[in-house]
Amino acid sequence: MHIFITRKIPDVGLKILDENNISYDIGNFKKPPTKKDLIKSLKKKNYDGIITFLTDTIDKEILDVCPNIKIIANFSVGFNNLDIEELKKRGIMTSNTPGTSSIAVAEHTVALMMSLTTRLVEGDRFVRSGKYKGWDPELLVGTDMKGKIIGLIGCGEIGTEVAKILNKGFGSKILYYDIVKNNKIEEETKAELKEIDEIFKTADIISLHVPLLPSTTHLINKDTLSTMKSSAFLINTSRGGVINEKDLVNALKNKIIRGAALDVFEYEPKLCSGLNKLSNVILTPHIASSRASARNQMAEIVVKNVVSVLKEGKVINSVIK
Ligand code: DGY
């Protein structure tokens, strides 16, 4: 049995493959491979499976060059890079790594919120640029986190962790919108399930925790932005396409909302024109889940799915329902 791994995964995963006598080739790419790169690599052998990353678009064209594939194991929680219908049609088992990054992403989300409210990144830039000439009571005045209304759009595993940190740490009132009622978080934090429009109108900080689906694409756009408080902050650690970035740039420029922090981008890794010129936005390079603990767990789960499919014909964390 032989699989292709599009880029290096942590050793803990490779060790499990070795123990199970599954050999592998690892793509030697310095940056996410293009479709052409992937096709070239996949044509080299008759692979039984592929470990993919969120930057690899797996569609008909790719699948056509590897007819023997039994498993696509995606090294991430999100799987909007996979053509699920096509995989289903071909009977290819497909997995993700649920639950591996909830703590990491939740902590990064809260760090982004606090960086916005404390103006931490602006302060750092200010000092580095030599502009700091002495203490000033009006310098970079921030906002308290305590007492703020938090609006979570999507309250699965990550949203739940964000709610817990904010409610226990800051006494925040948590409002959430989800298609599923989250009893656990309601009990633990007194979070309230609300209509999405009400969240837009009332929250001081809105944080996005939804998968990228046709129904969530451009959920944040000029219309929804215009219903938010002018003092509101928007955080996105989900997927870039949930926000119409051009509309967000306009809203930030025109003070329709106060600020935003983004770990993901609509045309990742490209930024929407004007975004990096704004002082009221914080940008991080899709690193919310980038912790050794999360990456190791992801490697373990991704590989366990490969082993289970190739040895027993069963997928553990199927994304095909
Ligand atoms: C995920 O798991 O979906 C993150 O976005 C990348 O680690």
Side-chain angles (χ1 to χ4, degrees), residues 98-115:
T100 47
S101 55
S102 311
I103 303 287
V105 177
E107 288 181 2
H108 193 82
T109 301
V110 175
L112 290 175
M113 288 179 185
M114 289 197 69
S115 305

Side-chain angles (χ1 to χ4, degrees), residues 92-299:
I92 298 172
M93 291 185 221
T94 306
S95 63
N96 68 339
T97 60
T100 47
S101 55
S102 311
I103 303 287
V105 177
E107 288 181 2
H108 193 82
T109 301
V110 175
L112 290 175
M113 288 179 185
M114 289 197 69
S115 305
L116 280 172
T117 55
T118 60
R119 306 185 70 173
L120 191 113
V121 177
E122 282 178 90
D124 180 78
R125 275 193 226 116
F126 187 81
V127 175
R128 284 173 198 273
S129 65
K131 287 186 186 148
Y132 183 42
K133 302 295 178 214
W135 187 83
D136 181 333
E138 291 183 345
L139 181 62
L140 294 173
V141 177
T143 313
D144 290 337
M145 282 285 291
K146 198 169 174 70
K148 290 289 175 289
I149 300 175
I150 309 295
L152 302 175
I153 312 282
C155 197
E157 288 178 4
I158 297 170
T160 297
E161 290 303 327
V162 172
K164 283 200 278 191
I165 299 172
L166 293 175
N167 178 259
K168 309 264 182 254
F170 297 95
S172 309
K173 184 170 178 52
I174 312 287
L175 308 181
Y176 75 98
Y177 167 78
D178 203 306
I179 49 171
V180 182
K181 187 167 150 57
N182 187 332
N183 290 322
K184 185 170 168 248
I185 209 60
E186 291 191 13
E187 274 158 34
E188 275 192 50
T189 69
K190 300 205 167 41
E192 293 172 29
L193 178 62
K194 297 283 180 197
E195 291 298 330
I196 197 163
D197 294 347
E198 194 174 338
I199 295 198
F200 287 137
K201 268 189 244 156
T202 51
D204 297 304
I205 303 178
I206 294 177
S207 192
L208 307 173
H209 300 287
V210 287
L212 184 64
L213 301 168
S215 58
T216 60
T217 300
H218 288 183
L219 188 68
I220 305 298
N221 55 51
K222 63 177 183 324
D223 296 331
T224 48
L225 284 159
S226 70
T227 64
M228 293 181 200
K229 288 180 175 177
S230 57
S231 55
F233 293 110
L234 175 70
I235 318 291
N236 191 9
T237 52
S238 63
R239 284 294 182 264
V242 177
I243 298 182
N244 180 325
E245 248 174 42
K246 206 160 151 245
D247 289 353
L248 177 64
V249 169
N250 284 332
L252 290 167
K253 258 190 202 157
N254 297 311
K255 311 268 184 287
I256 305 290
I257 63 167
R258 173 139 181 214
L262 311 175
D263 184 53
V264 287
F265 306 96
E266 191 175 355
Y267 302 107
E268 215 163 304
K270 287 196 188 115
L271 296 185
C272 174
S273 160
L275 195 57
N276 62 351
K277 300 280 184 302
L278 297 166
S279 59
N280 53 348
V281 66
I282 295 174
L283 310 170
T284 57
H286 205 150
I287 51 166
S289 67
S290 187
R291 308 273 176 90
S293 57
R295 293 287 181 255
N296 285 337
Q297 237 193 315
M298 288 162 97

Side-chain angles (χ1 to χ4, degrees), residues 6-27:
T6 64
R7 277 187 293 165
K8 170 94 172 59
I9 61 167
D11 289 340
V12 58
L14 300 179
K15 194 165 163 264
I16 302 174
L17 288 173
D18 293 337
E19 286 162 0
N20 283 279
N21 295 319
I22 296 175
S23 57
Y24 46 84
D25 291 329
I26 303 176

Side-chain angles (χ1 to χ4, degrees), residues 14-65:
L14 300 179
K15 194 165 163 264
I16 302 174
L17 288 173
D18 293 337
E19 286 162 0
N20 283 279
N21 295 319
I22 296 175
S23 57
Y24 46 84
D25 291 329
I26 303 176
N28 186 20
F29 307 111
K30 295 276 173 291
K31 55 179 187 170
T34 60
K35 183 175 274 188
K36 216 169 133 205
D37 292 333
L38 269 187
I39 289 180
K40 202 169 151 203
S41 303
L42 289 167
K43 271 184 171 168
K44 287 187 187 153
K45 281 184 196 153
N46 200 12
Y47 292 108
D48 296 289
I50 318 178
I51 292 182
T52 52
F53 290 82
L54 60 96
T55 42
D56 306 322
T57 302
I58 302 300
D59 59 10
K60 193 172 175 309
E61 263 181 281
I62 294 281
L63 297 172
D64 279 347
V65 295

